[in-house]
Amino acid sequence: MSAQQRRAAVLGSPIAHSLSPVLHRAAYGALGLDDWSYDRFEIDEAGLPAFFGRLGPEWAGLSLTMPLKRAVIPLLDEVSGTAAAVEAVNTVVCAADGRRVGDNTDIPGMVAALRERGIEQVESAAILGAGATASSALAALARICTGEVVAYVRSEARAAEMRQWGERLDVEVRVADWADAERALHAPLVVATTPAGATDALSHVVPERPATLFDVLYDPWPTELAARWSAYGGAVVSGLDLLVHQAVLQVEQMTGRAPGPLDAMRKAGERALAER
């Protein structure tokens, strides 16, 4: 491999569904980085240390998905404040001096996706769900929400986790039972962080004049909730918007080239989803 050739990849398990190779390769093409490659590797927590041990100087960086976002932290030389706040790293930059630096681009990616739709600040918000993505959503809301965030969850254990994240991120969080999730739809901003199908029943109770829905899913798309929301004239931010914005930030960090080619990456992602 020549000195000019650089490598990057996405790691996780399962990984076959990942759109990251499509997005990053589109970025390299738009930036004229013909000597760059981007692959995917099926890696679980047990296999991660060995993979890191094989990384050579040609590596520019890694994208990480589940279940590696927390498992990678002990393998890094430095972790950004953003990633440390939610104990989740989705980006590793391999520095020229050999150091491996972890960051989380999901959080600023969420903020950027909302800003693109004109959402700079909200007085309150609601989160549907309480998994790993919900903690990133809370961290994003810490930057744009001036008031209360209500999290709708299914168990007391999840409720306790969301309260802890709220305290840690300095966000005013009130926890409510999932049985009352219909109330969430009246918030100025609703962030749905649940798995496919989990919010389908809520599509039948969307208010006549909904505000903004950020649904982190992108395949299948649209979700039933997003489709009804859009039909009623509400603004919808999709999981693809999030995926593209966080990937743009990854490309900028790994290549040192900014701004990243947002439009080229989004079009590549849309084409890939249309072909599925």
Side-chain angles (χ1 to χ4, degrees), residues 151-162:
Y152 291 83
V153 304
R154 294 185 184 275
S155 70
E156 180 52 41
R158 291 295 197 183
E161 288 178 7
M162 290 302 285

Side-chain angles (χ1 to χ4, degrees), residues 25-139:
R25 291 168 186 168
Y28 299 162
L31 293 171
L33 299 175
D34 299 331
D35 290 319
W36 284 63
S37 65
Y38 190 99
D39 303 297
R40 62 163 65 91
F41 293 94
E42 181 85 16
I43 303 289
D44 60 14
E45 297 105 316
L48 190 60
F51 187 93
F52 262 64
R54 296 192 296 269
L55 294 177
E58 73 277 10
W59 283 90
L62 300 168
S63 307
L64 300 173
T65 186
M66 298 304 290
L68 306 178
K69 293 184 179 183
R70 182 174 293 180
V72 73
I73 292 175
L75 304 175
L76 302 174
D77 298 298
E78 181 182 337
V79 175
S80 72
T82 301
V86 291
E87 296 180 0
V89 167
N90 78 327
T91 306
V92 176
V93 175
C94 302
D97 61 3
R99 299 171 71 254
R100 292 159 185 170
V101 181
D103 194 13
N104 185 309
T105 63
D106 285 331
I107 296 166
M110 285 185 178
V111 174
L114 287 165
R115 184 174 293 129
E116 186 180 34
R117 302 303 174 89
I119 309 298
E120 299 276 353
Q121 190 176 85
V122 292
E123 294 180 355
S124 61
I127 295 178
L128 299 173
T133 306
S135 63
S136 291
L138 260 185

Side-chain angles (χ1 to χ4, degrees), residues 118-204:
I119 309 298
E120 299 276 353
Q121 190 176 85
V122 292
E123 294 180 355
S124 61
I127 295 178
L128 299 173
T133 306
S135 63
S136 291
L138 260 185
L141 290 171
R143 303 183 181 191
I144 67 167
C145 184
T146 59
E148 181 183 66
V149 176
V150 184
Y152 291 83
V153 304
R154 294 185 184 275
S155 70
E156 180 52 41
R158 291 295 197 183
E161 288 178 7
M162 290 302 285
R163 292 189 193 98
Q164 290 173 359
W165 282 119
E167 292 176 5
R168 182 166 185 169
L169 296 165
D170 196 25
V171 179
E172 183 184 349
V173 177
R174 178 166 61 86
V175 178
D177 192 278
W178 182 264
D180 297 321
E182 177 181 344
R183 297 179 183 176
L185 308 187
H186 297 272
L189 172 61
V190 181
V191 185
T193 69
T194 50
T199 61
D200 287 357
L202 295 175
S203 66
H204 305 294

